[in-house]
Amino acid sequence: MNGVRVLLIDDEVPYTDALAKRLGRRGLSVMTAGGGAQALEIMAANVFDVILLDIKMAGMDGIKTLSAIKRRHPEVEVVMLTAHANTDIVISSLAMGAFDYVLKPAEVEELVRKIDDAARTKRSNSK
């Protein structure tokens, strides 16, 4: 799905930079943020279809960031990224409105499928 606008939020800069390049090569429009507070600033000035959000981050963690995103931008779909298969946190994030989750390190094709699904859901909910 070309042209899907994605915000990738993760405090692991080398991972974020590499993933953003890979997703960009697949036709996605990707911006990055190094944490929750920075992401909220970026979202105040830009519109996104899908957010990729790491759960474990220094400062404002993924759960707090998800809560703030859903309060301010309820229409955006959020896919949680986690390196730890903590089912309680995953279930909690889904209950808070996350679209889905992916275990890190994720295969790029799996992420692209999740992003496409989330973007389609956002577009169908916007009609």
Side-chain angles (χ1 to χ4, degrees):
M1 207 179 243
N2 286 343
V4 173
R5 297 158 302 192
V6 177
L7 178 60
L8 173 56
I9 309 167
D10 195 319
D11 60 354
E12 295 176 36
V13 176
Y15 172 79
T16 305
D17 289 346
L19 184 55
K21 286 178 186 170
R22 288 180 171 164
L23 294 173
R25 284 189 214 120
R26 285 164 176 80
L28 300 169
S29 174
V30 182
M31 291 182 72
T32 62
Q38 182 185 18
L40 294 172
E41 289 176 18
I42 291 170
M43 291 182 76
N46 298 276
V47 176
F48 296 96
D49 299 304
V50 180
I51 308 296
L52 296 177
L53 174 58
D54 188 30
I55 290 176
K56 297 277 187 186
M57 295 185 295
M60 188 177 196
D61 70 16
I63 298 299
K64 289 179 186 167
T65 304
L66 173 64
S67 177
I69 288 170
K70 284 302 189 177
R71 244 187 347 268
R72 297 174 190 184
H73 307 277
E75 73 288 350
V76 73
E77 296 295 347
V78 181
V79 176
M80 305 301 288
L81 302 172
T82 182
H84 313 282
N86 183 328
T87 54
D88 290 339
I89 291 175
V90 168
I91 290 169
S92 174
S93 66
L94 293 172
M96 292 172 61
F99 178 78
D100 208 342
Y101 73 96
V102 176
L103 291 175
K104 286 169 57 178
E107 292 292 323
V108 174
E109 294 309 317
E110 177 187 7
L111 266 177
V112 169
R113 279 192 305 277
K114 298 272 185 182
I115 291 167
D116 284 349
D117 290 346
R120 276 193 207 92
T121 298
K122 179 185 184 266
R123 289 187 177 140
S124 69
N125 289 341
S126 297
K127 293 179 180 177

